[in-house]
Amino acid sequence: MDKTSEFSFILRPSTILDGGVGVFALHPINKGTLLDIWPREQVRLLHESEIPDVLKGLCVAKENDMWSCPPQFNKMEIGWHLNHSDNANVIKEEEKFYASSDIAENEELFLNYKTLEEPEDKREEYYK
């Protein structure tokens, strides 16, 4: 299938230990397919002091103690649930996300968090 929609993904328990929730494909997705996992208004910038510690793991650190966060933590888009892998099947290019390999039905989607350009000192230990 060469496109995705709201009917292409589902949240389930992640396949990785302590991964929490993960994003899974509901049908096969071809390499290079644009993934419909983010809305147009995908982020808001907050100062680190504005974010409860328990929610910082859902954000991406930026420069000057600013963080890229969901527009609303209680209504997060499915893309915010992508888990990290060094062998990711999702790639970010120019603020859009694409399948970097063929993705099978029921396969979990992963993003290499190192491509999010977080400052090294703000990264979680597991993906430094």
Side-chain angles (χ1 to χ4, degrees):
M1 183 169 233
D2 290 313
K3 65 180 186 176
T4 62
S5 71
E6 65 181 293
F7 303 112
S8 297
F9 309 102
I10 191 166
L11 297 176
R12 294 185 179 143
S14 179
T15 59
I16 58 175
L17 182 65
D18 297 325
V21 174
V23 179
F24 291 80
L26 290 175
H27 58 76
I29 300 170
N30 293 328
K31 179 180 179 178
T33 299
L34 176 64
L35 304 175
D36 184 18
I37 56 175
W38 294 99
R40 285 183 178 85
E41 301 294 325
Q42 64 180 324
V43 299
R44 67 178 164 165
L45 288 176
L46 294 175
H47 191 273
E48 183 175 14
S49 64
E50 298 176 278
I51 309 164
D53 287 342
V54 70
L55 298 178
K56 285 182 184 167
L58 301 171
C59 300
V60 177
K62 299 295 183 185
E63 297 293 329
N64 301 318
D65 291 325
M66 297 303 292
W67 292 63
S68 179
C69 301
Q72 290 184 265
F73 285 100
N74 62 341
K75 297 179 183 176
M76 291 175 39
E77 296 294 331
I78 203 162
W80 286 99
H81 297 280
L82 290 171
N83 283 311
H84 167 74
S85 174
D86 287 330
N87 299 310
N89 53 10
V90 173
I91 190 166
K92 180 182 176 188
E93 293 180 0
E94 298 180 18
E95 301 306 315
K96 294 181 181 177
F97 294 80
Y98 297 88
S100 59
S101 62
D102 289 339
I103 300 171
E105 182 175 345
N106 295 315
E107 183 177 347
E108 185 169 3
L109 281 71
F110 292 100
L111 177 67
N112 186 331
Y113 288 1
K114 295 172 190 169
T115 64
L116 299 177
E117 301 173 0
E118 282 188 293
E120 185 77 22
D121 65 323
K122 299 289 185 182
R123 292 182 183 180
E124 297 286 339
E125 283 300 319
Y126 65 90
Y127 72 93
K128 280 192 174 182

